[in-house]
Amino acid sequence: MNSATLWYANRATGAVCLVLLTVVVLLGVAVRLRTRIPGLPRFGTVSLHRALSLSVTAFLALHITTAVMDTYVDITVTDVLLPFVSGYQPLWLGLGTVSVDLLLAVLITSLLRERLGHRAWRAVHWLAYAAWPVALVHGIGIGTDTGTDWMTWLTVACVAAVTAAFAARLVHAARAARRTPAALLRTAEGARP
């Protein structure tokens, strides 16, 4: 493969990773809120979340591979695993590395979920919420398409979707927190002789 092909492949896989990771975050929120996606059975949301998470992993592997193979800039395997050590744009590339490391932790613990237990898995799974904005900033900082109309609108759409989902998640959590004390009080009052 020549350098131009690798560059285009790297750009394309980066954009696909942004979209897929955004959809995975949205589906993760939907799973947590027990939202049913029209046309899917209840377990379908979980299955789709898992399947697209694996798709993100595959596209991320392609994105990283094309970046390392492209000789136009010097990105090494070490740069992929250790943040902020690269000679090429260390901040922006380092943020991508941090996001990859966080996603790897989520992936590995998800594969070992049965052995870890739900509480430990869930604690690590929260890292996915951190990986998304770090990956987003990585793309904005290092992406060669940043500033083009199509990438600007794609980024805005992804940010708007995740912001709306996060707001729905916060509203749901606040409502649940308000209901819990009242439900406990009613239960306690109902138990009195």
Side-chain angles (χ1 to χ4, degrees), residues 72-167:
Y72 185 73
V73 294
D74 186 29
I75 298 173
T76 66
V77 174
T78 303
D79 300 333
V80 172
L81 298 172
L82 297 175
F84 312 111
V85 298
S86 175
Y88 175 73
Q89 298 199 20
L91 173 64
W92 304 122
L93 190 62
L95 289 172
T97 302
V98 168
S99 184
V100 167
D101 291 346
L102 293 172
L103 290 173
L104 279 174
V106 172
L107 174 69
I108 291 167
T109 56
S110 291
L111 294 172
L112 299 172
R113 183 177 179 178
E114 298 292 324
R115 293 182 182 205
L116 290 174
H118 184 73
R119 185 175 280 175
W121 168 81
R122 188 175 165 107
V124 175
H125 208 76
W126 275 90
L127 294 175
Y129 284 117
W132 183 85
V134 172
L136 179 76
V137 172
H138 157 77
I140 291 170
I142 204 169
T144 55
D145 290 314
T146 302
T148 61
D149 288 345
W150 73 271
M151 193 62 193
T152 300
W153 285 111
L154 181 67
T155 303
V156 167
C158 289
V159 169
V162 169
T163 301
F166 189 63

Side-chain angles (χ1 to χ4, degrees), residues 26-94:
L26 297 176
L27 287 169
V29 171
V31 167
R32 183 68 183 135
L33 298 178
R34 292 182 169 86
T35 303
R36 186 167 174 254
I37 295 177
L40 288 178
R42 177 158 231 147
F43 65 87
T45 306
V46 173
S47 297
L48 187 58
H49 175 70
R50 287 179 184 159
L52 289 180
S53 295
L54 291 175
S55 297
V56 168
T57 305
F59 275 95
L60 189 56
L62 286 171
H63 180 65
I64 292 166
T65 300
T66 58
V68 171
M69 288 177 58
D70 190 354
T71 57
Y72 185 73
V73 294
D74 186 29
I75 298 173
T76 66
V77 174
T78 303
D79 300 333
V80 172
L81 298 172
L82 297 175
F84 312 111
V85 298
S86 175
Y88 175 73
Q89 298 199 20
L91 173 64
W92 304 122
L93 190 62

